[in-house]
Amino acid sequence: MVKRNSICFPDHLGAYLRSFGENSLSGSVSTLLDRYIGITQDACPELTEAEWCAICDANNGCGVWLSAGGPDQYQSLWANVYDSGQNGIDEKWGIDHKKLAERLRNMAPAQKAAVWDVAARFWASPQLNELGTADLLKSVGAKISKE
């Protein structure tokens, strides 16, 4: 089913979308968004449940950046994990925040975007207080590895 929506975007994005020569901006947006979803789903790394929990914890509120249309902060998700060390995230989730932050920092941009998107969808999920953590993480696209 196709639902009609209204969307506003900066001029440079409109110019980019029109550069594909399509008659419909909706077609371009749909195609590119579908492509983005496929790329980030494929790029999503496997992390332990504890690592995902630490990432979501350290990046609580990351979805606000998206809904506000502010600058994209996905590249800094590793720094949020690193900075959370002073708040006891290692003990809380049983992880080494420095190692996790370094792993995130060294990920390819598509992987970072995938992790950021999982965290954003985690906090925005209407099932946030209904599902167990592992089920909620899986429902928002997290790939959970065995410890």
Side-chain angles (χ1 to χ4, degrees):
M1 182 166 124
V2 176
K3 181 181 176 191
R4 185 171 190 84
N5 293 292
S6 176
I7 185 170
C8 299
F9 39 79
D11 290 340
H12 74 282
L13 293 180
Y16 179 80
L17 292 169
R18 285 188 294 279
S19 74
F20 289 96
E22 293 197 28
N23 294 329
S24 164
L25 289 180
S26 295
S28 295
V29 170
S30 294
T31 298
L32 293 173
L33 191 54
D34 236 2
R35 183 182 303 158
Y36 173 84
I37 291 167
I39 289 168
T40 54
Q41 285 176 339
D42 288 347
C44 190
E46 278 194 11
L47 300 165
T48 66
E49 182 179 344
E51 289 170 327
W52 279 114
C53 287
I55 291 165
C56 289
D57 193 357
N59 289 281
N60 187 349
C62 64
V64 173
W65 289 100
L66 292 173
S67 62
D72 198 341
Q73 300 291 314
Y74 81 97
Q75 293 275 16
S76 66
L77 81 113
W78 71 270
N80 296 338
V81 170
Y82 186 86
D83 291 345
S84 69
Q86 63 191 355
N87 299 325
I89 203 160
D90 289 15
E91 295 80 21
K92 183 175 182 181
W93 298 111
I95 56 109
D96 180 331
H97 77 282
K98 289 180 182 176
K99 286 183 181 177
L100 179 57
E102 186 66 16
R103 183 173 173 198
L104 293 167
R105 189 173 76 77
N106 291 321
M107 285 182 180
Q111 292 176 299
K112 290 177 188 176
V115 173
W116 182 270
D117 289 355
V118 166
R121 289 193 305 268
F122 178 90
W123 291 113
S125 175
Q127 297 177 309
L128 181 63
N129 297 312
E130 297 170 14
L131 294 178
T133 305
D135 289 334
L136 179 58
L137 285 165
K138 289 175 189 172
S139 78
V140 297
K143 294 179 182 176
I144 300 175
S145 67
K146 303 296 179 211
E147 307 290 323

